[in-house]
Amino acid sequence: MNKSEFLLSLTDKLDPLPQHEIEKTRGFYAEMIDDRIEDGMSETEAVAAIGDIDTIIQDTLLEQPLPALMKAKIQPKSSLKIWEIVLIVLGFPVWFPLLAAFFVVILSVYLSVWAVIISLYATVAAFVLGGLAGIFSIFFAPSFVYGLFVLGLSLACLGIGVLSFFGVTKLSHWLILLTRKFLRFVKSLFIKKEVL
């Protein structure tokens, strides 16, 4: 595949996107091919080195915001006929609640993940602050044994808090990655037909 064929195929497969996005992506890959040609590759080698065009299309579409993908998906290829407009208006009580429910589910999953992350860090902070407060409270202990007991509990809380911070940080990264994968899955629902 040469540069012109690659760019033509890219433009065709990105057709659902707005024109300025197509031009931006097309310009990016045209420049990338030109750079590789300047480095001594042939045109065919430069195109091949970029990678599989379907993967490029999929990655490009997945980088788009979800509303842009939805707009591209539902945007009619030609003007609507009268019966189609009537059908859309009559079906509004059905399709609008379904669409709203879809967005609410996505938003609730996203917010739930962040609520879990925030609550985990709040738990870590509670352990650390509880441990520090316990250490300072030994100065007010009524007896040496009681103060020693409080000191032991405080150090245990502090240790649990510090150790769990690393675990919570790792878990948070995992949850953020999971959220990104979920969002990419939702986006892929709108781009599968265009890519395949």
Side-chain angles (χ1 to χ4, degrees), residues 112-127 160-161 164-165 167-175:
S112 299
V113 168
W114 279 102
V116 168
I117 291 172
I118 290 169
S119 63
L120 288 173
Y121 276 111
T123 305
V124 169
F127 270 111
I160 291 171
S164 60
F165 173 78
V168 167
T169 302
K170 189 77 177 172
L171 184 63
S172 300
H173 287 203
W174 182 77
L175 286 173

Side-chain angles (χ1 to χ4, degrees), residues 38-57:
E38 286 175 11
D39 290 341
M41 288 185 175
S42 69
E43 193 173 302
T44 309
E45 289 172 341
V47 170
I50 288 178
D52 180 45
I53 191 163
D54 287 337
T55 305
I56 291 169
I57 299 291

